[in-house]
Amino acid sequence: MWRLGFFFHEMGFGLLSIFLPLYVMSPAIGGSLVHIGIMSAAALFLVIPASFFWGYVCDKTRHYKRYILISFLASTAFLYLFTLTRDVNLLIILYSVMSILHVAHEAPKNVLIAELYSREDWERAFAFYEGFTESGWLIGLLLGFFMSAYGFGPATTLLACAGLNLIAFVLSVILVTDPLLVFERGLAGLERTIDFTSRGVFLASRLLDGISVSERLKKENVSLFCGGLVLFSLATSMLFTPMPIFVSNIVSGAGLSASLVFAIFVLNSAGGVGGYFLAGSGSTRSTGKTGVGRIVMFRSLLAFLLIAGLGMPSCNVILTTTILALLGFANAVFLVYMLSLSMELIPAGKAGVFNALIGVGGAFGSFIGPFIAQTFGFLFVFAVAGVVFFSAYVAFKFFA
């Protein structure tokens, strides 16, 4: 039940995720793709040190609920402030400051899941959480579709986002509690060390007995894990920051209603929900390590496939919608694997490292993507994103 507040929080940000880029470029604000890139990049650059801070302080104090409440209440307040401005520069500043406080819930949420479940259940627990909250994101997109179709104004939409976060705050006050004991991540790290030592002793004993062995004693390369995560985040942000504008362009080019933009991203989110629950039903520690490379390669191929749609205007909407649904599915499976591996590899006290690494890639990608789209066109966005996804695949291939 403690996840219910996060469900409403994701509803609010699901609605905001598509509405905000379109709002920035609307006549009321008068922004451009570059403004969207600057806004996303500035927010994500600020999120990097904030993620380290929130991750450190929640583990240091062993209080997690308070930071979740700070995140939800701050989001409510800043989303209300959005309704009071029409200046694009002020909107960028407000969004950036909100992001610093908004990320406060991420590391505590990951720690809560890791400490409330045993290591064997982490994949399923993370998958259930992400699938449940992604359902909230999907409902938020559906809400955006209906609000756009019925002509609700920007102020009403932003107030709806703020109201959903206020509900998340109230529910979290009631339902979220801090764990009594915090030790599961330490046990997982100790188990990994003992397993590595045990395999080393076994191989050494066989060699001393004159028995040839084909197995190599290899420890995970954490640097490659971190590098692959940054590259994956970079490619994802490059691809998706300008994506609402691309989808809006192809929808208007086909003579369809603008509200269809939300409907297309609903299918992207639905693909994510399916991916989370599929990953949770079949994931183990070993499948996480071996499957992550394949899923990143799949994302690379889908990015390149978007280029094919540019040459087929007659079926561009259908092809883009299908690819976005598959991208959502692949991202969900990847995130389940990464969250579980990160809780195992990253020690206590550094729970914010995962979000910080995502922030590094996301910050650069959120500016580079819109800049390339406005300067060279979306074909180059898809091509560069595909190459960066492939680079992430190479990093994860050699990580384990």
Side-chain angles (χ1 to χ4, degrees), residues 12-328:
F13 274 81
L15 171 56
L16 187 70
S17 66
I18 306 304
F19 168 77
L20 192 58
L22 300 176
Y23 180 53
V24 169
M25 294 193 66
S26 69
I29 299 297
S32 66
L33 274 168
V34 172
H35 283 111
I36 294 172
I38 292 172
M39 180 173 68
S40 299
L44 287 168
F45 273 121
L46 290 171
V47 159
I48 295 167
S51 296
F52 279 112
F53 172 75
W54 295 120
Y56 170 78
V57 74
C58 74
D59 263 334
K60 184 70 173 178
T61 62
R62 297 202 172 189
H63 290 291
Y64 304 96
K65 177 177 179 175
R66 67 176 60 164
Y67 305 108
I68 293 168
L69 298 180
I70 287 172
S71 171
F72 294 168
L73 187 60
S75 297
T76 302
F78 276 93
L79 287 168
Y80 173 73
L81 290 177
F82 284 6
T83 66
L84 305 179
T85 181
R86 295 293 182 270
D87 181 77
V88 66
N89 295 315
L90 182 56
L91 190 63
I92 290 172
I93 293 171
L94 289 173
Y95 182 79
S96 301
V97 177
M98 181 186 74
S99 299
I100 297 172
L101 298 169
H102 170 241
V103 79
H105 79 279
E106 288 289 350
K109 170 263 297 182
N110 292 340
V111 174
L112 280 180
I113 295 173
E115 295 297 341
L116 291 173
Y117 297 89
S118 66
R119 174 62 187 91
E120 289 72 20
D121 295 324
W122 280 0
E123 280 82 6
R124 284 187 289 273
F126 277 114
F128 179 80
Y129 168 86
E130 295 294 343
F132 180 67
T133 53
E134 185 71 19
S135 299
W137 185 280
L138 188 153
I139 293 172
L141 292 172
L142 283 172
L143 181 60
F145 169 75
F146 287 112
M147 294 185 77
S148 175
Y150 286 98
F152 284 91
T156 305
T157 303
L158 289 169
L159 286 173
C161 295
L164 289 166
N165 276 275
L166 182 59
I167 294 171
F169 171 78
V170 173
L171 288 172
S172 296
V173 169
I174 300 169
L175 300 176
V176 176
T177 57
D178 291 325
L180 295 176
L181 298 173
V182 179
F183 60 86
E184 190 62 36
R185 286 172 297 159
L187 287 179
L190 181 62
E191 180 185 345
R192 185 164 51 89
T193 301
I194 292 173
D195 179 66
F196 180 78
T197 304
S198 175
R199 286 190 293 117
V201 171
F202 173 73
L203 293 176
S205 65
R206 290 180 65 87
L207 288 171
L208 289 173
D209 290 337
I211 303 172
S212 62
V213 293
S214 57
E215 181 184 351
R216 294 179 61 193
L217 187 63
K218 185 179 179 182
K219 197 171 185 179
E220 296 96 341
N221 189 322
V222 179
S223 297
L224 282 177
F225 171 84
C226 294
L229 186 57
V230 170
L231 288 170
F232 184 89
S233 175
L234 172 65
T236 300
S237 187
M238 284 178 58
L239 196 62
F240 275 90
T241 302
M243 187 61 74
I245 308 306
F246 173 73
V247 173
S248 178
N249 290 343
I250 64 172
V251 165
S252 61
L256 301 171
S257 170
S259 61
L260 189 61
V261 175
F262 284 94
I264 290 173
F265 279 94
V266 164
L267 294 177
N268 169 253
S269 185
V273 172
Y276 286 126
F277 287 113
L278 181 64
S281 64
S283 288
T284 63
R285 186 184 308 194
S286 59
T287 58
K289 288 183 178 179
T290 58
V292 66
R294 291 195 293 268
I295 208 70
V296 175
M297 174 59 81
F298 183 53
R299 292 267 288 190
S300 177
L301 294 175
L302 290 173
F304 285 121
L305 191 58
L306 281 167
I307 298 174
L310 295 173
M312 298 183 290
S314 59
C315 61
N316 207 353
V317 174
I318 296 174
L319 181 61
T320 300
T321 303
T322 303
I323 293 173
L324 284 176
L326 292 173
L327 283 167

Side-chain angles (χ1 to χ4, degrees), residues 278-394:
L278 181 64
S281 64
S283 288
T284 63
R285 186 184 308 194
S286 59
T287 58
K289 288 183 178 179
T290 58
V292 66
R294 291 195 293 268
I295 208 70
V296 175
M297 174 59 81
F298 183 53
R299 292 267 288 190
S300 177
L301 294 175
L302 290 173
F304 285 121
L305 191 58
L306 281 167
I307 298 174
L310 295 173
M312 298 183 290
S314 59
C315 61
N316 207 353
V317 174
I318 296 174
L319 181 61
T320 300
T321 303
T322 303
I323 293 173
L324 284 176
L326 292 173
L327 283 167
F329 173 86
N331 188 68
V333 176
F334 173 85
L335 188 57
V336 170
Y337 292 159
M338 285 296 101
L339 282 169
S340 299
L341 288 171
S342 70
M343 288 291 101
E344 182 178 334
L345 295 172
I346 297 171
K350 298 182 179 179
V353 169
F354 179 81
N355 299 104
L357 291 171
I358 290 178
V360 170
F364 285 103
S366 62
F367 178 76
I368 293 171
F371 176 79
I372 293 176
Q374 183 155 306
T375 307
F376 303 105
F378 280 96
L379 184 149
F380 288 92
V381 174
F382 302 150
V384 175
V387 171
V388 178
F389 273 129
F390 181 78
S391 301
Y393 160 76
V394 173

